[in-house]
Amino acid sequence: MKTDHQGVTRTGIARVAALALLWGSSFLWIKLALRGFNPVQIVFARLFLGFVILVPIVLSRGLRFPSERRVWGHLFVAALISNAVPYVLFGIGEETVGSNVAGVLNATTPLWTLLLAFLVGVDRAVTVRKTAGFALGFLGVVVIFSPWESAGEIASWGGLACLAAAASYGLGYVYMGRFLAGRGIPPLMLSAAQLGAATVLLALAFPFAGLDTPTWRLDAVASLLVLGALGTGAAYVLNYRIIDDEGPTAASVVTYLLPIVAVILGGIFLHEAVTVAIVAGIALVLAGVTLTRKRSAEKR
């Protein structure tokens, strides 16, 4: 087994970067999917597709789904607060607010995670370096999106929905870190089981909000497929692995990297302008993430 700390750190950074790419690109796929489907339909489809993708992989490795009722109870709670609620809230919120506002509010997830993890005792190692890193990362996101140009949107119902979704994500990170990660259940199994539980929850809500007739556009359908297979299935395997290895607070820092991915993809595929403020914000984000990733000399 490789015990070199530099190797572990490089592996962790690579996982965070990969997860940021998968989740950061999800904003693009969601925008395209909205051309043919409503938010509830999109969430149900991405969860179901993610589950369908993971099940054959789980079975091919000889893994078995949990049999304990308590574990499934935790999985359904995690599915509710980490999948069903925030996915739908962001879909609803982005119908009335700009993506820049949603991006800033989504980037409060690590701050919620840091606060909640400390309050419930999951992560008491709140150092000055770590706190400064989170604050610097959030400042970078604010500089990138310049929300003061859309202050009215933040105070709207759509803005509140996005803020509630970010808080739900933070609660989800803490809950998974306390009750599911590090319990001897493989991350792949946890991912498949949670997505299955979330799919059931959305199926129950579908008759109330998902019966609108969809428009079967090719770009919308293709976006759903990518969103489900990569942005949900593959992403959740990485997410649980990072939580298991480094804790919920470290895992939530990936949220700060999502705007960078969004900016890069927007510049490449949508020809959006990359301003000086965006470059400065990206530098601040990377500096903040670097601070949160550094381990103390004593731990090394």
Side-chain angles (χ1 to χ4, degrees):
M1 176 180 289
K2 190 173 185 178
T3 58
D4 177 69
H5 286 290
Q6 279 190 320
V8 172
T9 301
R10 285 196 299 268
T11 301
I13 291 174
R15 287 173 179 160
V16 168
L19 184 58
L21 178 60
L22 291 173
W23 274 345
S25 63
S26 293
F27 292 108
L28 174 63
W29 307 126
I30 290 172
K31 283 293 185 183
L32 293 175
L34 281 171
R35 296 176 178 179
F37 306 93
N38 69 28
V40 173
Q41 292 169 342
I42 292 173
V43 174
F44 174 78
R46 72 179 293 188
L47 292 172
F48 177 73
L49 289 171
F51 177 69
V52 169
I53 291 293
L54 290 185
V55 167
I57 301 175
V58 167
L59 297 179
S60 68
R61 297 190 179 186
L63 301 177
R64 295 184 178 181
F65 282 91
S67 57
E68 298 181 13
R69 293 183 179 180
R70 177 178 296 182
V71 173
W72 276 107
H74 290 315
L75 283 168
F76 269 94
V77 173
L80 179 66
I81 60 180
S82 298
N83 301 110
V85 170
Y87 283 10
V88 172
L89 283 177
F90 266 116
I92 294 173
E94 289 195 50
E95 288 183 326
T96 57
V97 303
S99 59
N100 60 334
V101 175
V104 169
L105 296 175
N106 181 60
T108 64
T109 295
L111 303 179
W112 289 108
T113 306
L114 184 67
L115 174 63
L116 294 170
F118 180 80
L119 291 177
V120 303
V122 172
D123 189 353
R124 293 285 186 179
V126 182
T127 64
V128 174
R129 180 187 294 275
K130 182 184 291 185
T131 303
F134 277 95
L136 195 60
F138 181 70
L139 176 61
V141 174
V142 172
V143 171
I144 289 172
F145 288 108
S146 304
W148 48 84
E149 296 179 0
S150 306
E153 292 184 65
I154 295 179
S156 67
W157 286 110
L160 291 177
C162 292
L163 184 62
S168 188
Y169 277 144
L171 180 60
Y173 273 111
V174 174
Y175 191 90
M176 289 185 290
R178 183 166 187 174
F179 295 108
L180 291 171
R183 304 287 174 172
I185 304 175
L188 184 62
M189 173 53 68
L190 283 175
S191 302
Q194 182 178 323
L195 290 179
T199 302
V200 172
L201 293 175
L202 261 294
L204 294 176
F206 205 81
F208 302 97
L211 295 180
D212 295 342
T213 303
T215 302
W216 297 96
R217 294 172 51 118
L218 180 59
D219 54 353
V221 174
S223 298
L224 274 184
L225 293 175
V226 175
L227 188 61
L230 299 180
T232 307
Y236 262 82
V237 175
L238 282 172
N239 188 47
Y240 260 115
R241 172 63 69 183
I242 295 170
I243 292 175
D244 202 15
D245 289 347
E246 303 187 47
T249 304
S252 69
V253 78
V254 72
T255 309
Y256 286 156
L257 299 175
L258 303 189
I260 297 178
V261 175
V263 167
I264 293 174
L265 292 179
I268 294 174
F269 296 105
L270 302 178
H271 306 292
E272 295 176 346
V274 179
T275 64
V276 174
I278 289 175
V279 175
I282 289 175
L284 289 172
V285 168
L286 293 177
V289 171
T290 300
L291 285 176
T292 64
R293 301 294 301 175
K294 283 187 175 181
R295 301 176 184 272
S296 65
E298 291 79 10
K299 286 186 177 181
R300 287 182 181 176

